[in-house]
Amino acid sequence: MDSNKIKELVSQMTVEEKASFCVGKDFWHVQGLERLGIPSVMLTDGPHGLRKQAGTGDHLGLGSSNPAICFPAGCATASSFDPEIAELVGVELGKLCQAEDVSTILGPAMNIKRSPLCGRNFEYLSEDPLVSNKMGAGEIKGIQSQNVGACPKHFLANNQELYRQTSNSIVDEQTLREIYLASFEDAVKEAKPWTIMCSYNKINGTYASENELFMTDILRGEWDFDGYMMTDWGACDNPVDSVAAGMDLCMPGPGPDNVRRIKEAAEDGTLPMDVLDRAVERVLNIVFRYSENHVKDAVYDFEAGHEAARKVETESAILLKNEDAVLPLKEGEKIVYIGEYVKAPRYQGGGSSHINPYKISSVWDEVGEKDGVSYVKGYDLKTETIDAAAAAAAAKEADKAVIFAGLPDSYETEGLDRTHMDIPRYQNDLIAAVAAVQPNTIVVLHNGSPVSMPWIDDVKGVLELYLGGEAVGLAAADLLYGKVNPSGRLTETFPIRIEDTPTYPYYGVEKDDVKYREERLVGYRYYETVKKPVLFPFGYGLSYTTFAYDNLQLDKEAMTDAEELKVSVDVTNTGAIAGKEVVQIYVAPCRTGAVRPVRELRAFEKIALEPGETKTVTVSLSKRAFAEWNVSIHDWYVPSGVYQIQVLSLIHI
Ligand code: BGC
């Protein structure tokens, strides 16, 4: 509907009706108005599946929801380093939204992983803003290609679950611009989300839901956001201040008191009427964008969705260790599969993203019939006990042992942060017992964030599945047997110990004022700058083939602010099978005296290569790739000097 018609509709509303459009109708719906032909549309979680609740609503993933495809969580999908894979997830989500008549899905979740302990890291995409942006943009584009709204969240500086509703993130301007705002910036500019959700917390003293600087000046003024802004569920503290600052919709509803307060403020002039009109217009614009394009008889193909979930996970899982080419497994080898997760995988996290899956495929469903394959439970998740003797005996008899281990449900959920990075001790004990008798031991991990691996030197293979969605078992089989060559790369660092992380002394300790003391040195920006050894670095991941880099070319020696630098490099698959490589281009600045990260990822591209094939990857780097945020001029600024372009090839630890 064009903007004049929307203005006309708003002009026909009473003040109370206008106010009611700024507050949810109920837990999951935006207000409608039959008299003016305005439908009431639905919003539903996100971000890696549809949690459409037909009955009572809740925002903790407790109540039931309609069956939906549970795609790999953000931690996994982002590791594909392939925006087209994120887009595929988005397209499937959008299709199901059309079939379920959901106008907007609440995702992607794009907060930066500031510490591995954040309980919601499994939903988030990366410790790096470029990866977060590119992968987030992919999902947004996919969702919106189906005429359904996406809702990047939680804007802004919401990087812990502890006291998330009351804490005050104290972040300096430069860090905000370079890390936390940057994590949303390009996605908003490029993919143009229909809506954005603010977070619960305050930022430098002002609630995100009342923050004019971020919601109006930056999102709309600088980044051209033209959708509507909604609060997280219950994040509206003062509805009048929120609407005045640029908030359009306070969720959830009903909220008669909020409606009354907005109405009274508009009537007595505390809230200018044109500001209220503006909020209602923004909401209606998106409501009609969906309702006018809603496909009434859309039917979702769940089998195709399940296959899509499998594909996403096969492109995303990361091969972390593969000594003596212990993987891929070969037909005819005697393999023992160990662990409860072999038959009942852990594939999603807890909280508002919790999906009622269409069906779950375990690795056992796929490999259980193979010759020479056997199963031992090994550990019991409920009693937290192990049968090390049985597991070791079976492992000894086999050619290889594959243990499925990881974090149980209770370890990773919205609302709670972890306090350590360990998987349960009983699982570590079991791995040690098996590895002691079987030199060809492989650990397959289900977890949504980094874990310590005390047994890393005693096993030959590690495959990181993250929380791989409902088809994770199919993907695991594809990768373990080499039907698909692993190509995921870590979008976050795996530290050796939690004590090594930049936020260790205060993360999970500060509850009210949470000071982002590490500033820009988040994730690899910290480890690489202070040269701290890590278990697995950002960007890391192995393949069953090998790649060689050659012929790095820059098209100029020096550049001005207005120019772009073209970087090209040849990549060759030097192994015997087809594979995919993630070409990562970093910029290392000259030393400026400031504590600037030693290098930052500025471009990446995933390419597929047949054996012996060479491809030239070319990327353009603009001023921004070299710039830092200058707090004196409040703008991006490139200190003059020498910069190095670094291309990361496979690192072996
Ligand atoms: C979460 C959001 C979610 C909302 C609705 C909140 O608790 O932080 O991510 O979209 O609930 O369920």
Side-chain angles (χ1 to χ4, degrees):
M1 183 174 289
D2 76 40
S3 55
N4 288 334
K5 278 197 186 144
I6 287 177
K7 277 189 197 304
E8 204 181 300
L9 281 181
V10 176
S11 72
Q12 293 173 50
M13 289 180 186
T14 64
V15 181
E16 179 156 2
E17 283 168 346
K18 289 181 194 175
S20 74
F21 273 92
C22 295
V23 180
K25 177 184 171 198
D26 58 29
F27 209 83
W28 296 119
H29 287 84
V30 181
Q31 194 58 253
L33 190 55
E34 233 180 295
R35 177 171 75 77
L36 296 178
I38 304 169
S40 164
V41 297
M42 190 171 199
L43 318 170
T44 283
D45 280 310
H48 48 258
L50 204 63
R51 189 171 68 97
K52 180 177 174 183
Q53 295 190 300
T56 319
D58 72 82
H59 63 121
L60 298 168
L62 302 173
S64 63
S65 53
N66 294 354
I69 302 296
C70 179
F71 285 92
C75 55
T77 304
S79 309
S80 71
F81 266 87
D82 184 350
E84 284 179 17
I85 287 294
E87 195 168 337
L88 169 65
V89 174
V91 167
E92 292 298 318
L93 295 177
K95 284 183 183 165
L96 186 53
C97 283
Q98 282 289 358
E100 289 278 8
D101 196 4
V102 169
S103 74
T104 295
I105 178 164
L106 307 176
M110 295 175 59
N111 296 97
I112 287 285
K113 302 185 195 214
R114 178 175 172 241
S115 160
L117 299 181
C118 174
R120 274 186 106 169
N121 275 0
F122 68 89
E123 289 184 63
Y124 299 151
L125 304 173
S126 183
E127 66 187 24
D128 178 82
L130 179 75
V131 178
S132 189
N133 261 301
K134 292 268 176 254
M135 301 307 294
E139 184 171 332
I140 296 167
K141 283 182 197 160
I143 294 168
Q144 296 188 170
S145 71
Q146 302 306 304
N147 290 315
V148 167
C151 180
K153 61 187 186 183
H154 311 83
F155 193 75
L156 183 74
N158 165 209
N159 310 93
Q160 66 184 52
E161 290 300 286
L162 182 76
Y163 291 99
R164 64 175 173 155
Q165 289 168 327
T166 49
S167 62
N168 177 23
S169 302
I170 309 276
V171 200
D172 66 273
E173 181 185 334
Q174 186 176 52
T175 303
L176 273 171
R177 286 288 183 169
E178 293 187 23
I179 306 287
Y180 297 98
L181 282 163
S183 158
F184 290 87
E185 182 175 352
D186 282 347
V188 172
K189 287 178 176 168
E190 273 172 46
K192 303 224 158 288
W194 292 10
T195 70
I196 293 178
M197 183 193 293
C198 80
S199 54
Y200 289 113
N201 53 290
K202 294 177 187 156
I203 306 126
N204 297 329
T206 307
Y207 278 115
S209 60
E210 295 168 12
N211 217 309
E212 191 167 1
L213 170 65
F214 301 122
M215 286 193 293
T216 298
D217 301 349
I218 295 180
L219 268 183
R220 294 187 188 276
E222 295 182 27
W223 301 353
D224 285 335
F225 170 58
D226 66 355
Y228 73 78
M229 191 76 211
M230 72 179 88
T231 64
D232 198 342
W233 266 230
C236 179
D237 185 54
N238 178 331
V240 177
D241 289 353
S242 284
V243 175
M247 177 58 65
D248 306 304
L249 177 62
C250 294
M251 286 302 290
D257 193 47
N258 283 350
V259 175
R260 179 188 55 76
R261 287 168 74 181
I262 296 171
K263 171 184 171 260
E264 285 174 6
E267 281 170 347
D268 70 19
T270 329
L271 180 69
M273 195 62 79
D274 62 328
V275 172
L276 177 57
D277 287 355
R278 188 186 66 184
V280 182
E281 283 164 24
R282 287 172 183 157
V283 172
L284 293 191
N285 180 30
I286 299 302
V287 165
F288 284 111
R289 201 182 286 176
Y290 169 74
S291 63
E292 288 176 349
N293 293 295
H294 172 47
V295 187
K296 291 214 169 46
D297 45 5
V299 178
Y300 186 72
D301 182 344
F302 282 86
E303 277 303 311
H306 193 69
E307 269 309 306
R310 172 194 202 153
K311 180 177 167 60
V312 172
E313 177 61 7
T314 53
E315 293 286 324
S316 304
I318 306 130
L319 183 62
L320 291 177
K321 185 167 182 182
N322 196 21
E323 211 175 291
D324 299 335
V326 68
L327 289 173
L329 304 173
K330 288 159 201 70
E331 299 292 337
E333 279 177 340
K334 215 171 154 197
I335 312 282
V336 58
Y337 283 85
I338 301 170
E340 215 177 314
Y341 290 140
V342 169
K343 293 191 174 175
R346 177 161 179 256
Y347 59 95
Q348 67 172 331
S352 62
S353 67
H354 202 265
I355 300 306
N356 173 14
Y358 162 62
K359 66 176 178 185
I360 302 161
S361 300
S362 73
V363 73
W364 192 250
D365 296 336
E366 198 62 4
V367 306
E369 300 292 309
K370 283 186 192 283
D371 283 346
V373 163
S374 62
Y375 171 70
V376 176
K377 189 172 167 194
Y379 59 82
D380 187 290
L381 288 161
K382 268 209 190 86
T383 59
E384 304 194 336
T385 51
I386 58 173
D387 187 346
K396 219 171 170 175
E397 292 299 301
D399 296 323
K400 292 174 181 173
V402 184
I403 309 177
F404 277 62
L407 295 172
D409 281 334
S410 61
Y411 280 51
E412 286 171 306
T413 185
E414 178 175 339
L416 287 179
D417 293 322
R418 290 187 298 168
T419 52
H420 58 77
M421 293 198 312
D422 300 333
I423 63 172
R425 190 169 169 175
Y426 64 90
Q427 291 190 30
N428 280 333
D429 290 346
L430 184 74
I431 295 169
V434 170
V437 297
Q438 173 52 266
N440 293 318
T441 295
I442 297 139
V443 177
V444 180
L445 286 169
H446 290 301
N447 47 299
S449 37
V451 293
S452 340
M453 302 183 197
W455 31 259
I456 189 69
D457 294 332
D458 306 323
V459 303
K460 279 202 180 147
V462 179
L463 179 64
E464 175 58 78
L465 295 176
Y466 273 120
L467 298 181
E470 63 174 55
V472 65
L474 302 177
D478 289 347
L479 296 162
L480 287 171
Y481 286 89
K483 196 170 152 195
V484 180
N485 190 349
S487 64
R489 303 286 185 265
L490 291 177
T491 68
E492 62 186 321
T493 310
F494 273 46
I496 297 172
R497 314 170 310 154
I498 190 61
E499 291 84 351
D500 294 338
T501 59
T503 52
Y504 174 70
Y506 31 88
Y507 193 90
V509 178
E510 291 184 332
K511 297 172 180 154
D512 302 324
D513 283 353
V514 176
K515 300 193 181 96
Y516 285 43
R517 295 182 178 83
E518 71 289 357
E519 301 181 347
R520 300 177 287 181
L521 298 185
V522 178
Y524 72 88
R525 287 169 167 76
Y526 169 74
Y527 303 109
E528 294 192 351
T529 303
V530 304
K531 301 211 176 351
K532 192 166 282 281
V534 298
L535 184 57
F536 296 106
F538 173 86
Y540 181 81
L542 302 172
S543 164
Y544 294 149
T545 186
T546 47
F547 303 98
Y549 284 69
D550 196 16
N551 198 24
L552 176 63
Q553 301 273 355
L554 310 180
D555 75 342
K556 47 182 83 64
E557 288 280 295
M559 64 190 277
T560 62
D561 275 6
E563 285 177 319
E564 293 208 330
L565 175 71
K566 273 209 167 55
V567 179
S568 66
V569 65
D570 296 346
V571 188
T572 305
N573 180 347
T574 49
I577 57 165
K580 290 184 178 169
E581 169 66 321
V582 178
V583 180
Q584 303 168 38
I585 313 280
Y586 292 79
V587 174
C590 53
R591 301 297 286 178
T592 56
V595 185
R596 194 170 177 187
V598 287
R599 65 174 193 166
E600 295 177 273
L601 183 68
R602 294 309 192 199
F604 63 85
E605 200 172 313
K606 191 169 194 175
I607 49 166
L609 292 166
E610 293 299 318
E613 187 182 358
T614 300
K615 276 187 185 157
T616 303
V617 171
T618 306
V619 301
S620 286
L621 299 178
S622 64
K623 167 188 169 183
R624 181 71 182 266
F626 301 87
E628 57 182 344
W629 184 261
N630 185 302
V631 293
S632 307
I633 57 168
H634 305 290
D635 203 352
W636 298 101
Y637 175 78
V638 183
S640 300
V642 177
Y643 291 75
Q644 214 181 61
I645 306 297
Q646 300 177 353
V647 180
L648 185 81
S649 57
L650 284 179
I651 325 164
H652 292 276
I653 54 167

